[in-house]
């Protein structure tokens, strides 16, 4: 796997775990927490939403779904 792909997957996993630990969070809060641009975070959120791991109850806010997830290192 390319280093950039591995870095992206690690960030997506970290974003998911951050949302799970902090409840409902904003895209801006995630961008600030990860030192990324809102656009980069939005791409990560799109991957998570496509896989039904998160949902957006309000515009710009994100929370995890009830879907079961197995987290591996």
């Amino acid at each position: 796997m390319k280093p950039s792909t591995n870095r992206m997957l690690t960030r997506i996993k970290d974003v998911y775990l951050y949302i799970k630990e902090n409840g409902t969070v904003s895209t801006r809060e995630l961008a600030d927490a990860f030192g990324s641009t809102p656009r980069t975070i939005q791409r990560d959120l799109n991957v998570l939403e496509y896989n039904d791991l998160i949902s957006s109850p309000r515009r710009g806010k994100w929370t995890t779904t009830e879907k079961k997830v197995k987290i591996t290192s």
Side-chain angles (χ1 to χ4, degrees), residues 17-50:
L17 292 173
Y18 184 91
I19 297 169
K20 189 161 185 68
E21 290 173 12
N22 292 285
T24 302
V25 298
S26 70
T27 304
R28 171 53 63 192
E29 181 181 343
L30 290 166
D32 291 345
F34 288 93
S36 296
T37 65
R39 181 65 192 117
T40 297
I41 293 298
Q42 188 61 54
R43 282 192 293 268
D44 296 345
L45 294 169
N46 289 343
V47 170
L48 291 167
E49 185 176 36
Y50 178 82

Side-chain angles (χ1 to χ4, degrees), residues 7-25:
R7 191 170 53 247
M8 178 190 69
L9 292 173
T10 299
R11 189 182 60 243
I12 289 171
K13 178 177 141 183
D14 291 344
V15 166
Y16 175 78
L17 292 173
Y18 184 91
I19 297 169
K20 189 161 185 68
E21 290 173 12
N22 292 285
T24 302
V25 298

Side-chain angles (χ1 to χ4, degrees), residues 33-68:
F34 288 93
S36 296
T37 65
R39 181 65 192 117
T40 297
I41 293 298
Q42 188 61 54
R43 282 192 293 268
D44 296 345
L45 294 169
N46 289 343
V47 170
L48 291 167
E49 185 176 36
Y50 178 82
N51 288 288
D52 196 32
L53 297 173
I54 62 170
S55 64
S56 181
R58 294 188 313 276
R59 183 180 167 117
K61 300 285 185 180
W62 299 93
T63 191
T64 56
T65 63
E66 296 297 319
K67 186 172 184 178
K68 298 290 183 201

